[in-house]
Amino acid sequence: MSAKQRAQAIAPILREQFPGTAVELCELDFASPFQLLCATVLSAQCTDVRVNATTPALFAAYPDAPAMAGADRSHLESLIFATGFYRAKANHLLELSARLLSTYGGEVPKRREDLVTLAGVGRKTANVVRSVAFSLPGLPVDTHVLRLSKRLDLVRSDDPVKVEHRLNALFGEQEGGALSLRLILHGRRTCTARVMACENCVLLDWCPTGKKRQALAT
DNA sequence: ATCCCGAGGG
DNA sequence: CCCTCTGGAT
């Protein structure tokens, strides 16, 4: 059983569990690419629920790049305080908005090379924005995607960039965003970092780690 | 204690 | 490559 074969078996099962496109599967609330970009920057080491509790007041005050670029730093910090890393994140939002104005006409760029030049935006965030806001290829590799890909033995590497390329090759570039979100959702509900709930996992038949574990238990 | 859809700096 | 940034939930 090759990784490619496992990937082809896994894809439709995950699609059935978590139907929809990347936009529909994304749990962050946003009304524009700019707002998704900001919400994703805020989501670093923070739950989506908390980000969604934070962003309504934030976007009411600073809905777009021009408004955010002119935000009062202390006010901005107080608005995003609960998301953690609030000083660094406030700096990121300020700098990123200023750069959008100075270099990209106030719009969020679509190319990954441009996105990653923005403060607080790394490869993972760039891929979220591309796939969710623009329906472009982009496969965000976060801790969940990395963990599940390894447990499913789709990849061996720990390098997120290599993992991204590998998953794109296995599942197809256009599936990237939705695939990532589905792995994340499955990783949060069933295959968590500490507890693998293999007994009610829909992927068990295709999971080398789960089957090995099952064999040991019997 | 450990985790939450990380990124930047040394 | 490792450290730091940070609060809240479990």
Side-chain angles (χ1 to χ4, degrees), chain A residues 10 27 30 37 72-73 90 129 154 164 166 193 205 214:
Chain A
I10 287 164
E27 295 187 346
F30 63 97
L37 174 61
D72 174 73
R73 182 181 302 273
V129 170
L154 299 172
E164 178 185 326
R166 173 73 169 151
D205 286 347
Q214 195 182 41

Side-chain angles (χ1 to χ4, degrees), chain A residues 10 13 28 41 50 59 71 84 106 111 115 124 148 183 213:
Chain A
I10 287 164
I13 300 173
L28 292 171
V41 167
R50 184 168 311 285
F59 296 147
R111 302 189 327 169
L115 284 165
K124 182 242 154 186
L148 267 68
L183 286 175
R213 191 158 166 269

Side-chain angles (χ1 to χ4, degrees), chain A residues 65-186:
Chain A
M68 189 74 76
D72 174 73
R73 182 181 302 273
S74 312
H75 184 226
L76 183 55
E77 286 181 355
S78 70
L79 285 172
I80 65 171
F81 179 80
T83 66
F85 300 149
Y86 66 94
R87 279 186 292 261
K89 287 176 181 175
N91 279 331
H92 291 155
L93 295 183
L94 251 13
E95 288 178 25
L96 146 185
S97 300
R99 183 166 168 75
L100 288 181
L101 290 184
S102 68
T103 310
Y104 299 106
E107 298 296 308
V108 178
K110 298 187 178 182
R111 302 189 327 169
R112 195 173 50 213
E113 310 88 87
D114 293 327
L115 284 165
V116 296
T117 67
L118 300 169
V121 180
R123 193 180 181 97
K124 182 242 154 186
T125 300
N127 282 333
V128 170
V129 170
R130 277 176 57 81
S131 60
V132 175
F134 298 132
S135 300
L136 291 170
L139 199 162
V141 175
D142 72 335
T143 158
H144 295 293
V145 174
L146 202 55
R147 183 179 72 250
L148 267 68
S149 299
K150 287 174 71 174
R151 286 182 180 168
L152 290 164
D153 198 24
L154 299 172
V155 303
R156 299 282 168 89
S157 173
D158 279 311
D159 175 1
V161 178
K162 287 184 183 171
V163 172
E164 178 185 326
H165 290 139
R166 173 73 169 151
L167 293 178
N168 274 326
L170 288 173
F171 292 93
E173 274 212 328
Q174 209 53 48
E175 274 298 292
L179 173 77
S180 173
L181 265 338
R182 289 180 187 126
L183 286 175
I184 289 166
L185 291 169
H186 186 63

Side-chain angles (χ1 to χ4, degrees), chain A residues 5-61:
Chain A
Q5 288 174 302
R6 276 200 304 286
Q8 284 171 348
I10 287 164
I13 300 173
L14 283 177
R15 208 177 299 129
E16 187 181 356
Q17 289 290 305
F18 309 106
T21 60
V23 200
E24 293 158 352
L25 290 167
C26 180
E27 295 187 346
L28 292 171
D29 298 333
F30 63 97
S32 65
F34 173 76
Q35 293 188 2
L36 174 67
L37 174 61
C38 294
T40 309
V41 167
L42 293 179
S43 77
Q45 294 300 304
C46 177
T47 60
D48 288 354
V49 173
R50 184 168 311 285
V51 173
N52 288 335
T54 299
T55 47
L58 175 66
F59 296 147

